[in-house]
């Protein structure tokens, strides 16, 4: 399986500091920042700093340290913004669009954290 990673995608430029971002949290392996077109009061993107196209690429090729850091970063953010149910928050949704059918717009692995309003059921029939 080969993955073609485009180093000129917008998130690669954000990681390199060529495009500004509203950073929420940065770790050794990840960057989390606010989505430029928020779909909910909380809309944060979490991306690995490594060159991964999507979730299946990340899951197959990233190191254990990168994968652990990614999960822990998401968990930390949900606590920091007080949406995690364990702290009495109203919860959140994670979305990882990968490929054509879910309409992945940016070909750098990312997870959306959405929260801060009722989000409805998972999918609408189209
Ligand atoms: P996708 O459809 O690939 O899962 O989502 C890509 C997301 O990236 C979209 O929600 C879009 O608003 C966001 N986005 C695209 N360009 C930029 C940018 O330059 N800065 C930030 N912060 N978000 C962006």
């Amino acid at each position: 399986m080969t993955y073609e990673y485009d180093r000129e995608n917008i998130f690669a430029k954000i990681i390199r500091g060529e495009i500004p971002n509203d950073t929420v949290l940065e770790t050794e392996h990840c960057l989390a920042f606010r989505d430029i077109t928020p779909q909910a009061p909380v809309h944060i993107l979490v991306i690995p700093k490594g060159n991964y196209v999507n979730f299946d690429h990340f899951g197959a090729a990233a190191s254990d340290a990168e994968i652990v850091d990614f999960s822990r970063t998401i968990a930390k953010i949900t606590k920091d913004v007080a949406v995690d149910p364990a702290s009495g928050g109203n919860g959140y949704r994670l979305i990882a669009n990968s490929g054509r059918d879910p309409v992945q717009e940016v070909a750098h692995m990312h997870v959306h954290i959405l929260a801060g309003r009722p989000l409805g059921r998972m999918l609408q029939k189209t």
Side-chain angles (χ1 to χ4, degrees), residues 4-21:
E4 300 278 327
Y5 181 82
D6 172 13
R7 291 174 180 274
E8 295 309 311
N9 78 75
I10 202 104
F11 292 172
K13 291 180 180 176
I14 285 176
I15 291 167
R16 292 197 295 267
E18 294 166 14
I19 292 177
N21 74 91

Side-chain angles (χ1 to χ4, degrees), residues 22-36:
D22 185 0
T23 299
V24 172
L25 184 64
E26 182 168 7
T27 68
E28 182 181 358
H29 298 294
C30 301
L31 182 65
F33 53 93
R34 296 197 185 275
D35 196 290
I36 204 166

Side-chain angles (χ1 to χ4, degrees), residues 8-9 12 21 33-35 37 60 68 76 78 80 94 96 100 102 109 111-112 115 119:
E8 295 309 311
N9 78 75
N21 74 91
F33 53 93
R34 296 197 185 275
D35 196 290
T37 312
V68 168
K76 182 167 189 333
T78 62
D80 288 351
L94 302 181
R100 266 197 305 272
M109 150 73 174
V111 166
H112 300 250
L119 296 168

Side-chain angles (χ1 to χ4, degrees), residues 77-99:
I77 291 167
T78 62
K79 283 209 180 320
D80 288 351
V81 300
V83 297
D84 63 310
S87 306
N90 284 342
Y92 57 92
R93 180 172 292 158
L94 302 181
I95 296 177
N97 296 316
S98 300

Side-chain angles (χ1 to χ4, degrees), residues 27-116:
T27 68
E28 182 181 358
H29 298 294
C30 301
L31 182 65
F33 53 93
R34 296 197 185 275
D35 196 290
I36 204 166
T37 312
Q39 305 295 314
V42 174
H43 189 168
I44 295 166
L45 300 167
V46 185
I47 68 175
K49 291 179 180 173
N51 295 346
Y52 304 107
V53 171
N54 58 22
F55 205 99
D56 50 281
H57 188 196
F58 182 70
S63 66
D64 290 359
E66 289 174 296
I67 291 170
V68 168
D69 187 49
F70 195 80
S71 293
R72 298 248 192 268
T73 296
I74 291 173
K76 182 167 189 333
I77 291 167
T78 62
K79 283 209 180 320
D80 288 351
V81 300
V83 297
D84 63 310
S87 306
N90 284 342
Y92 57 92
R93 180 172 292 158
L94 302 181
I95 296 177
N97 296 316
S98 300
R100 266 197 305 272
D101 276 356
V103 195
Q104 181 181 3
E105 197 183 299
V106 180
H108 180 108
M109 150 73 174
H110 55 280
V111 166
H112 300 250
I113 302 174
L114 293 154

